[in-house]
Amino acid sequence: MKQTRVLIAGAGIAGLTAAHELAERGYLVTVVEALAVPGGKSRSIPVEGSATAGQQELPGEHGFRFFPGFYRHIPDTMARIPCVLADGSYGSVADNLAHTSRTLALSKKGRWEVPNQLRSSSRDAASLLSFLYDLFVGSGVDVPREDMLHYVRCVFTMLTSSDERRFGEFENISAWDYFQAPTRSEAYQKYVINAVTRTLVACRAADMSARSNVVVGIQLLSDIYRSCADRVLNGPTSEVWIAPWVTHLQHLGVEFIQGVSVENVLWDGEAARALQMDDGRELAADHVILALPLEALHAISNDDMLARAPSLARLGELKTEWMNGILFYLGQDIELNHGHTIFLDAPWALTSLCQQRFWPRGLAQYGDGTVRGIISVCISDFDAPGEYIRKPAKDCTPVEIQEEVWQQILAHLAPADRAELEAAGVIACSIDPSLRWTEQCMENDAPLFVNTAGSWAARPEVDIGISNLFVAGDFVRTATDVATMESANESARHAVNHILDLTTSSAARCQLFPLEEPTALTPLKVIDRLRFEAGLPHLLDLVPVFSGETIAWLGGMTGRVAEYSVKAGDIVRQMGWDKRLPEFESRAMRFINNLSRGVAPVSKWASNAPDSTSGAAEAQTNASGVNTLINDVVGSINDKALADDLDQLRARLIGALDQTDKHFKEYGASHQRHLIDGVLADSLFQSGKRLRASCALLCSMLMRRFLSEEAVQVAIITESIHAATLLHDDIIDEADQRRGHPTAWKKYGVGAGVLAGNLLVSRAVRSLYRIGYNGLADDLFEVIESMIAAESDQLSGRRNLEACEQDYLRIIDGKTAGLFAWSCRAGATVGGCNAATVTATATFGRHMGLAFQLIDDILDLAPDTSDTGKTRYTDLSTGLLTYPLLLARQRDLQGFDVLAANGFADAAEVSTWLVANEALEDTRAEAARQIAMGVDALLPVRHSAAKAALIELARASTKRLR
């Protein structure tokens, strides 16, 4: 069958993403690029002539890379790009993302540190609150309180507005007008409206769409508590991202043609036949993606093309601004901040990053070896006059730009920091080569699209109406909206999905990640949609303006918030409220979860509930069984920053698991009324690995530092379902032992075992409804049905010599991995995690479940396996062809046939045969690969002790011997 050929014009982020997604799905892909190297505006730009013999040239760039937490498409792509890490090990490009700890805001009046990730500590909360207060209503830049309250009101109005109002009303006015800047104080205009807008994108508040301004600003603020607001690369962009990416694409068969530009699209009727290049070549393909910069696409959109794609006719209305970088190479290693720094009073809207702080490879291999530090600075305003040269950046020479930027930075620093920076000494300086000086003026070869008011209507969709031609880039309509690497990546995924649909491909569609906003506000958005459609204003427009007395009172209260936040923990503990706070939050999250599903058990939410397990930290720690596993897992995490959290996590987790076991044992002791209860008490509640319960508990703590009663209930429920499957599996497999004891069916009979398993399932589901998570109960029904279907497929497929590895993986996905995925998803849900985290944990759990079953296959067959506590060689005796057997059969069909003819009767002979064909070793490697994919899925989840323990637990599960 003829493979589909796709031609992609442009090797920026959009073009490389499209090539990646298509090549993974078996398409023939050619990428053409006007520059000599791929990467577009994201590439590194070596400083020409800066290296001595044997050294690399100093790394330059268009502007420093910035990966906020709401970026999810880019990290997902990075996780699928293999590379060699700084320590020489193998990983993915996603491992090269480094988390920053704080953002520093500097004005000539002071400095404020904002944590880039709240780790639920009073210190981080106080730091954030102190910054917000001092900057806006305190002694910092003296924004009047009424102005700040007005700003907050405007933001909340946008958050509770429907999409219909956002696009129909707020898209068409500027942020400047939306926030009523002309009628407010100069400090409000300068620091709140202009400064905030400039730090988002290279755009003036007077021009930028109010919708884009607030929606993206909220995403950045939300990143502080849901993941991390600021990540950077741990080396030059091309070295740690673009180069490994291109290498991987070439391994996938992607062809690159560089140094040629698109001049025209050639047509065959209404379809694109080929692209005409500036060297005279015509490159033909079945489908074309124009992943070109805005100005390049506009240049080739001639009358012929516009007649076929009228949606491109308004490209000329879209506005671009300049946002370019300058780098200072220093003789000493300095750290102004462990993250980005914003210079609030800088007329050229400067932001900076000390790059070498995040580069484990160091700088010795660059230049002449004397560079020890790099300050990368972005200039976002090229039109405002400078303070020292007194000219806009567009009118300055390179030397003048260097001097003006340096002085603007120094003017913001405290005397000690200024002295340190000056002492470091500037060895060299590099300005983005996209800036060119002609005899008449400065020109910019890489301007940046900006979201001006009303620009959405002029922006094209990915599908421009031509059957086999699509556009992609940061200016195309996407959920990400503003011009970023993330929006470029998202647009490319849309283009690829269109091609998959047109070619009726059976391959999975590219995953798309919508922006997330608080789900609790959804009802207000629904109300606003009805009001907007009726021609009515937003509800907040009906609320009268705060009185002067109210403003004064709120201002006084705000002034104490930072101080109170530090003392709050002590006060709460002294009053004994800490034992009630987890309970209240659990009820609130349960209420919100059910509200989003259309279920609102208000009476149950408001009713009394059992005491929370916040006191579980005092539970007695045993040194055996599952407690040993938890101790080993937590103890193996070498992260000093999380040391205290890990110690508390260990105690809470062991306490919760002890409570789970206690529940089972007490149940068995108090409910022995009939035969089925005897089965449960005698056989099932021997403490096992409790991996599913541990996953549920850890996932419930990804966004909080306590364990709720609901989390413990989920742990009990997931272990109950697991126990039920063990009862039924032992009957189906005719196994004699389980955890070193006779199986239930051997001791009590088949009927008792079946009925006991059914009873466990019934009580587990009923428990979910009882704690109020009806949606999770519905999901659990689907998991149980999938388990039954997979078990049925496995039963009917025994002794099926035509089975393959994919068949087996599909079966264990339903039989084992589904419950792991549900355990993680349920834990994250009752733990109040956002939708993105819940999805990530479910993906993680599915991969962990697959890995767990693969290891079980090894333990059943390996010749050197220690006592596993259950009957060995069960799979062989029942004719089940597991993954190691299927691998080995593929490699030695003749040997397999000999063993099969004997009914696999000699287990030792089978084990030896598996070892000889490296099937057991490769099965363990496949399990490790599954765990790696699961860990990649957790990349967007904020770093915490629970996340670290979850990852270590997964990795430990591939090394187990029983």
Side-chain angles (χ1 to χ4, degrees), residues 718-916:
T718 192
E719 284 298 323
S720 296
I721 296 295
H722 175 53
T725 65
L726 297 183
L727 276 168
H728 293 162
D729 282 353
D730 287 342
I731 295 171
I732 294 171
D733 295 339
E734 300 180 358
D736 295 330
Q737 280 195 337
R738 171 70 63 180
R739 294 173 185 159
H741 297 273
T743 53
W745 77 273
K746 289 289 288 185
K747 187 172 183 180
Y748 295 96
V750 172
V754 171
L755 293 174
N758 293 346
L759 181 63
L760 280 173
V761 172
S762 173
R763 287 176 174 169
V765 176
R766 187 175 65 179
S767 295
L768 274 176
Y769 283 114
R770 187 174 64 248
I771 65 175
Y773 281 89
N774 303 13
L776 286 177
D778 295 340
D779 293 341
L780 184 56
F781 277 127
E782 294 183 10
V783 171
I784 293 172
E785 289 176 5
S786 296
M787 293 170 72
I788 294 171
E791 189 70 56
S792 175
D793 288 346
Q794 180 171 282
L795 190 61
S796 62
R798 287 186 172 178
R799 307 191 191 283
N800 176 16
L801 302 185
E802 300 302 320
C804 64
E805 295 96 317
Q806 288 70 29
D807 294 330
Y808 187 65
L809 288 174
R810 176 180 52 79
I811 288 173
I812 66 173
D813 180 72
K815 179 183 174 182
T816 303
L819 184 57
F820 269 95
W822 183 88
S823 303
C824 293
R825 179 168 68 248
T829 299
V830 302
C833 296
N834 57 39
T837 301
V838 172
T839 300
T841 57
T843 303
F844 165 83
R846 188 165 298 279
H847 286 296
M848 183 174 177
L850 290 171
F852 180 87
Q853 186 60 57
L854 290 169
I855 296 299
D856 255 12
D857 293 349
I858 296 174
L859 298 181
D860 187 62
L861 297 169
D864 56 349
T865 301
S866 60
D867 183 16
T868 64
K870 56 186 177 182
T871 306
R872 293 193 63 202
Y873 307 120
T874 300
D875 296 333
L876 283 179
S877 63
T878 58
L880 176 62
L881 301 186
T882 56
Y883 196 82
L885 281 167
L886 294 169
L887 275 183
R889 184 187 66 176
Q890 188 180 51
R891 296 165 184 178
D892 181 11
L893 182 58
Q894 183 177 0
F896 177 86
D897 289 341
V898 171
L899 294 170
N902 192 32
F904 301 106
D906 190 337
E909 184 181 2
V910 174
S911 294
T912 302
W913 175 70
L914 291 170
V915 171

Side-chain angles (χ1 to χ4, degrees), residues 329-616:
Y329 303 93
L330 308 178
Q332 295 181 23
D333 179 6
I334 69 164
E335 180 180 6
L336 292 178
N337 178 43
H338 193 268
H340 285 95
T341 299
I342 304 170
F343 300 91
L344 293 171
D345 289 322
W348 287 1
L350 305 180
T351 49
S352 75
L353 177 73
C354 292
Q355 291 184 322
Q356 80 287 348
R357 306 306 302 174
F358 305 94
W359 291 8
R361 294 178 177 86
L363 299 172
Q365 68 270 37
Y366 300 107
D368 61 2
T370 61
V371 172
R372 294 292 180 269
I374 300 178
I375 296 183
S376 179
V377 185
C378 263
I379 305 170
S380 298
D381 193 333
F382 279 76
D383 296 313
E387 290 184 322
Y388 304 93
I389 306 299
R390 304 284 182 182
K391 294 191 296 185
K394 283 184 177 179
D395 296 334
C396 291
T397 65
V399 173
E400 288 174 335
I401 288 180
Q402 176 182 342
E403 181 61 25
E404 177 69 29
V405 170
W406 187 253
Q407 291 300 327
Q408 287 186 27
I409 290 174
L410 292 177
H412 283 74
L413 301 181
D417 292 334
R418 178 172 182 154
E420 180 186 9
L421 183 57
E422 289 180 318
V426 178
I427 294 177
C429 179
S430 170
I431 299 176
D432 177 10
S434 298
L435 299 175
R436 293 183 295 103
W437 279 261
T438 67
E439 294 182 1
Q440 292 78 26
C441 62
M442 181 196 300
E443 295 183 355
N444 192 339
D445 292 333
L448 189 67
F449 163 72
V450 292
N451 302 58
T452 54
S455 62
W456 182 265
R459 295 166 63 181
E461 298 278 2
V462 167
D463 183 358
I464 58 175
I466 298 173
S467 62
N468 68 335
L469 187 146
F470 305 92
V471 296
D474 55 16
F475 58 91
V476 175
R477 291 181 182 179
T478 61
T480 307
D481 195 26
V482 296
T484 58
M485 299 180 293
E486 178 76 353
S487 59
N489 185 294
E490 182 188 349
S491 71
R493 291 171 182 242
H494 281 288
V496 171
N497 283 346
H498 279 296
I499 292 175
L500 295 176
D501 290 341
L502 285 172
T503 56
T504 62
S505 172
S506 61
R509 273 35 181 179
C510 303
Q511 190 171 8
L512 297 168
F513 303 94
L515 295 182
E516 291 185 345
E517 294 182 9
T519 55
L521 299 179
T522 300
L524 294 176
K525 293 180 182 179
V526 173
I527 293 171
D528 184 65
R529 177 175 60 80
L530 298 174
R531 292 184 60 83
F532 180 77
E533 291 174 349
L536 299 174
H538 192 282
L539 274 174
L540 284 182
D541 292 340
L542 305 179
V543 179
V545 178
F546 288 124
S547 66
E549 292 78 8
T550 304
I551 292 172
W553 181 82
L554 287 173
M557 289 298 294
T558 306
R560 306 289 293 178
V561 167
E563 176 185 349
Y564 289 156
S565 67
V566 178
K567 299 178 180 179
D570 294 336
I571 295 173
V572 166
R573 283 186 289 273
Q574 290 171 8
M575 299 298 293
W577 293 343
D578 55 321
K579 292 181 173 60
R580 302 296 294 176
L581 286 174
E583 172 191 334
F584 174 80
E585 183 179 341
S586 297
R587 293 181 189 175
M589 290 312 304
R590 184 171 68 246
F591 173 76
I592 292 171
N593 175 268
N594 285 319
L595 185 64
S596 67
R597 291 179 174 267
V599 181
V602 178
S603 60
K604 189 171 289 188
W605 176 71
S607 65
N608 291 329
D611 290 339
S612 75
T613 59
S614 58

Side-chain angles (χ1 to χ4, degrees), residues 61-62 100 154 204 269 327 364 461 524 535 566 673 693 798 875:
E61 59 194 342
H62 169 75
T100 65
C154 290
R204 296 178 179 84
L327 290 91
E461 298 278 2
L524 294 176
V566 178
R673 297 190 299 264
R798 287 186 172 178
D875 296 333

